């Protein structure tokens, strides 16, 4: 299949530059591309692999060892001197979101290991990506422990596989590229920090650019080979520059003045740890090498900071990535006493001014070249392209002065919980079989071993060694064993049952009627809901928001991993009107039905935040009771949060909780301030915690509390 040429990707200057800098120096640590769907993220990544230099590897080595420096710990080694070599193009390995851990890191045949003492290792995707590109589309939907494995391998250059005392290690150096749509959920800040560079992309709002994009796409679809041929010279030039920059990389000087600038910038933006400084330095060196310079300049530091720092400023799920370039310039000025910039006037060398990648946008014979390129534009004093093709500042809430997306520049306002406000733990009852997370008890692939079972088809998961030996022991005489290794059969193998925690679908069913707007009650509800959203983010849950007011209910947010989107919906939630409690409960039933079809393994947890009143429609209380019966019949565990306040109380929420067979919590007992005193819970009924767990409850009302568990 013919790949869309890298040089034909129009605009997206920051994304292309970040990819190319990582191609020059994979030690930068990879690229995370964030943006809306349909913005050529995957197209650019797949095209990048074709630009990388070919790979020489030892003949027959499944781990692509370099003949000039073979890995001494290669499972297929040791490789003798003078071994045969082969050459192949650099690989692009794509990791699917649903991949199992064994598929990623490789798998050990434990039956052979136990019976014959042989380490039979089947390489995984990390081995296949060695000396190439590993691409993870929708990386934010990948399980956290798999993202950790990828980032560990990318940082250390090796992959380690250990199972039941049998271990294998092999080299795994690759260019890691992840793409994600923030609307589908964010990565944790700890994982964001592990990516070297991050760029934001968005579709152009310039009609001329959009026309050219469509023209190129249609031309490529109509004649893939011919289209690639027309752009072959431009791609070849970029590939030549990548190879030349790699050769020049070790000769680029990073002066102390540039190091001070990097340190000043990282300190000014208050980033955690030292990884930001190291990545920024490596990126500045790669940028200098890319532009055919032997010394890092202030422009290199500025570009490196724009790519390496925005995502490292996120500390909680309500922070939006971005970088204030005015602060960046001020930090560079403070450290500018010994300016390392020795560029001649006119900006950095290494490419024509219409393309920061240095490659021509329109080679001779390129499609649709009928006048000036819509991406052409002048560089500013910082050496960056001002073209509308890659920026579209006005339409995307960004300006030329703030292309990195300053938090103050057009960002959608997001509500955040009160500082120090924490939510109590609410869990689903029983033990589930859901996806790994940190909320409710579940049988997962990770956690403590609670038993053993016969594998249900296919290869066993985690081996339960004692159970396997016990199953095989009675048959050793019949199998003719007098001495030597244990004689195993596939039927002897037992896999471990592991119990850990799962992530749930937390459905917020919020009463937004007029009765909730009295006495600042809705402000308290939103504060508690935001604290619960933070808790859901930390426990790897999906969230959904349904609100009811006036004459009906509305799904404000379908099930998503984006806590940022949920908080924005809550911030914009209007209040007023009658209370259609029955409609709200039935809307929750419908949402749960749809999500059960989409994600049957994820157990729901419904949080009903209401005062229990029902005033809309005919026989409102009767219909609300019936709707509660319908919701209870789904088996979805519910928690009723009583938002009633004031001296006169009707206790209608308690009736609702009884119908739903759900625990009842007063709103004031749902959250606590981390600075206040701690209470010692008396047993496992305290919000799902075991005996002796420290709990802090601020202003808790004196009434019995039951857990959703």
């Amino acid at each position: 299949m013919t790949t869309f040429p890298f040089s034909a990707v129009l605009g997206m200057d920051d994304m292309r530059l970040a990819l190319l800098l990582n191609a020059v120096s994979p030690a930068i640590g990879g690229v995370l591309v964030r943006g809306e769907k349909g913005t050529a993220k995957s197209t650019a990544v797949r095209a990048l692999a074709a630009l990388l230099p070919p790979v020489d590897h030892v003949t027959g080595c499944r781990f692509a060892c370099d003949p000039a420096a073979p890995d001494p710990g290669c499972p297929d080694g040791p490789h003798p001197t003078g071994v045969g070599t082969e050459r192949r193009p650099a690989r692009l390995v794509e990791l699917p979101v649903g991949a199992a851990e064994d598929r990623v890191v490789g798998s050990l045949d434990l039956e052979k290991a136990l019976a014959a003492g042989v380490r039979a290792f089947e390489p995984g995707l990390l081995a296949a990506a060695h000396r190439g590109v590993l691409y993870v589309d929708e990386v934010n939907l990948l399980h956290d422990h798999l993202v950790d494995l990828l980032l560990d391998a990318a940082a250390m250059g090796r992959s380690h596989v250990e199972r039941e005392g049998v271990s294998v290690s092999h080299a795994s150096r690759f260019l890691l590229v992840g793409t994600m749509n923030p609307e589908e959920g964010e990565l944790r800040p700890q994982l964001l920090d592990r990516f070297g560079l991050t760029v934001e992309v968005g579709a152009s709002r310039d009609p001329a650019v959009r026309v050219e994009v469509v023209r190129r796409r249609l031309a490529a679809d109509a004649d893939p080979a011919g289209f690639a041929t027309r752009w072959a010279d431009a791609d070849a030039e970029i590939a030549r520059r990548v190879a030349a920059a790699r050769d020049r990389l070790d000769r680029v000087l990073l002066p102390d003045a540039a190091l001070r600038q990097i340190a000043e910038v990282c300190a000014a933006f208050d980033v955690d740890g030292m990884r930001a400084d190291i990545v920024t330095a490596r990126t500045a060196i790669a940028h200098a090498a890319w532009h055919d310079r032997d010394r890092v300049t202030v422009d290199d530091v500025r570009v490196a900071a724009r790519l390496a720092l925005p995502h490292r400023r996120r500390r909680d799920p309500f922070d939006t990535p971005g970088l204030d370039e005015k602060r960046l310039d001020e930090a560079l000025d403070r450290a500018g006493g010994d300016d390392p910039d020795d560029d001649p006037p006119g900006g950095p060398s290494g490419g024509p001014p219409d393309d920061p990648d240095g490659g021509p946008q329109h080679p001779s014979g390129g499609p649709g070249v009928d006048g000036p390129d819509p991406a052409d534009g002048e560089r500013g004093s910082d050496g960056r392209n001002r073209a509308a093709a890659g920026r579209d500042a006005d339409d995307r809430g960004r300006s030329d002065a703030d292309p990195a997306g300053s938090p103050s520049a057009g960002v959608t306002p997001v509500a955040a919980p009160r500082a120090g406000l924490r939510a109590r733990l609410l869990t689903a009852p029983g033990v589930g079989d859901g996806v790994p997370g940190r909320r409710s008890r579940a049988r997962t692939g990770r956690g403590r071993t609670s038993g053993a079972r016969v594998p249900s088809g296919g290869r066993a998961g985690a081996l339960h060694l004692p159970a396997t030996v016990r199953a095989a022991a009675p048959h050793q005489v019949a199998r003719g064993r007098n001495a030597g290794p244990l004689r195993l059969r596939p039927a002897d193998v037992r896999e471990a049952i592991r119990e850990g925690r799962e992530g749930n679908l937390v459905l917020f069913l919020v009463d937004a009627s007029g009765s909730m707007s009295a006495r600042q009650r809705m402000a308290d509800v939103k504060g508690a809901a935001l604290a619960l959203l933070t808790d859901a983010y930390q426990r790897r849950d999906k969230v959904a928001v349904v609100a009811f007011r006036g004459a009906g209910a509305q799904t404000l947010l379908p099930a998503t991993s984006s806590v940022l989107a949920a908080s924005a919906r809550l911030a914009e939630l209007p209040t007023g009107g009658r209370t259609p409690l029955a409609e709200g409960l039935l809307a929750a039933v419908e949402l749960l039905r749809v999500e059960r079809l989409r994600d049957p393994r994820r157990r729901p947890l419904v949080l009903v935040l209401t005062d229990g009143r029902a005033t809309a429609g005919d026989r409102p209380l009767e219909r609300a009771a019936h709707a509660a019966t319908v919701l209870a019949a789904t088996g979805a565990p519910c928690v009723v949060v009583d938002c009633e306040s004031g001296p006169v109380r009707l206790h209608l929420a308690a009736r609702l909780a009884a119908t739903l067979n759900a625990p009842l919590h007063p709103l004031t007992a749902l959250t606590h301030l981390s600075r206040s005193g701690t209470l010692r819970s008396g047993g496992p009924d305290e919000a799902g915690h075991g005996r002796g767990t420290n709990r802090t409850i601020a202003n808790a009302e004196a009434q019995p509390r039951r857990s959703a568990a």
Side-chain angles (χ1 to χ4, degrees), residues 161-463:
V161 184
E162 298 194 20
R163 289 182 63 188
E164 308 299 337
V166 181
S167 62
V168 171
S169 174
H170 64 84
S172 183
R173 292 184 296 275
F174 49 82
L175 194 166
L176 176 63
V177 183
T179 58
M180 61 173 282
N181 183 349
E183 294 177 356
E184 296 172 342
E186 290 283 358
L187 278 173
R188 290 184 290 135
Q190 295 88 340
L191 296 180
L192 274 176
D193 183 60
R194 300 287 296 277
F195 277 95
L197 309 179
T198 296
V199 292
E200 299 271 353
V201 296
S204 172
R205 300 299 185 263
D206 185 341
V209 176
R210 299 174 77 95
V211 166
E212 181 63 21
V213 169
V214 174
R215 182 182 290 121
R216 295 185 188 186
R217 182 73 260 179
L218 294 178
D221 292 342
D223 182 11
F227 185 81
T229 299
R230 291 195 294 273
W231 291 88
D233 290 343
D235 270 9
E237 173 61 16
I238 295 177
R240 182 199 65 76
R241 291 191 61 198
V242 169
R246 282 187 173 187
D247 292 339
R248 187 181 303 110
L249 195 65
D250 291 338
R251 302 193 299 272
V252 174
L253 174 65
L254 179 65
D256 287 345
L259 272 175
R260 283 194 294 273
Q261 289 176 338
I262 291 170
E264 184 72 38
V265 168
C266 292
F269 285 100
D270 195 26
V271 295
D272 294 332
M274 295 299 299
R275 184 178 284 116
D277 303 64
I278 295 170
V279 171
T280 305
R282 288 173 174 166
T283 305
I285 293 171
H287 191 261
W290 173 248
H291 284 289
D292 199 18
R293 291 192 288 268
D294 58 4
R295 182 183 178 89
V296 171
T297 70
V298 66
D299 281 340
D300 299 320
V301 175
R302 179 182 287 106
V303 170
R306 286 199 304 110
L307 298 175
L309 297 186
H311 60 296
R312 292 187 163 89
R313 298 181 61 248
R314 281 191 86 228
R315 283 179 169 79
D316 62 57
F318 302 101
D319 288 340
T320 53
L323 193 71
D324 187 340
E325 290 219 6
K326 182 178 180 181
R327 290 180 58 193
L328 173 60
D329 291 335
E330 290 173 353
L332 290 172
D333 290 342
R334 284 196 298 271
D338 298 314
D339 192 346
D341 190 353
D342 59 355
D343 281 340
S349 61
D354 64 335
D355 184 7
D357 299 339
Q361 281 285 324
H362 290 290
S364 177
V369 185
D370 203 4
D373 188 336
D376 286 347
E378 297 181 354
R379 286 185 183 273
S381 60
D382 60 356
R384 287 182 288 107
N385 190 291
R386 301 299 192 193
R391 297 291 183 252
D392 305 300
D394 294 337
D395 292 307
R396 292 168 50 202
R398 289 163 53 175
S399 67
D400 282 342
D402 192 15
S406 167
S408 62
V411 176
T412 302
V414 174
R418 177 183 172 187
L421 193 65
R422 304 291 178 86
R424 68 182 301 171
L425 174 63
L426 302 172
T427 62
V431 180
D433 292 290
V435 296
R438 294 185 176 180
R439 182 171 296 278
S440 305
R441 292 175 57 198
R443 290 177 289 270
T444 64
R446 303 168 69 83
R448 65 180 183 85
T449 300
S450 60
R453 65 188 172 194
V454 177
S456 57
R459 184 185 294 273
L463 180 73

Side-chain angles (χ1 to χ4, degrees), residues 432-435 502-505 542 591-604:
D433 292 290
V435 296
E502 67 178 356
N504 297 107
L505 167 61
K542 280 188 172 182
L591 188 146
L592 293 175
R593 184 190 67 80
V594 173
E595 290 305 318
R596 191 170 282 120
L597 296 175
R598 290 178 177 172
D599 194 356
R601 293 182 59 207
R602 189 180 291 272
R603 291 194 294 165

Side-chain angles (χ1 to χ4, degrees), residues 29 126 144 146-157 174 176 187 190-196:
L126 292 182
D144 285 349
L146 291 182
V147 180
D148 279 327
L149 289 174
L150 294 180
L151 295 171
D152 283 341
M156 297 186 297
F174 49 82
L176 176 63
L187 278 173
Q190 295 88 340
L191 296 180
L192 274 176
D193 183 60
R194 300 287 296 277
F195 277 95

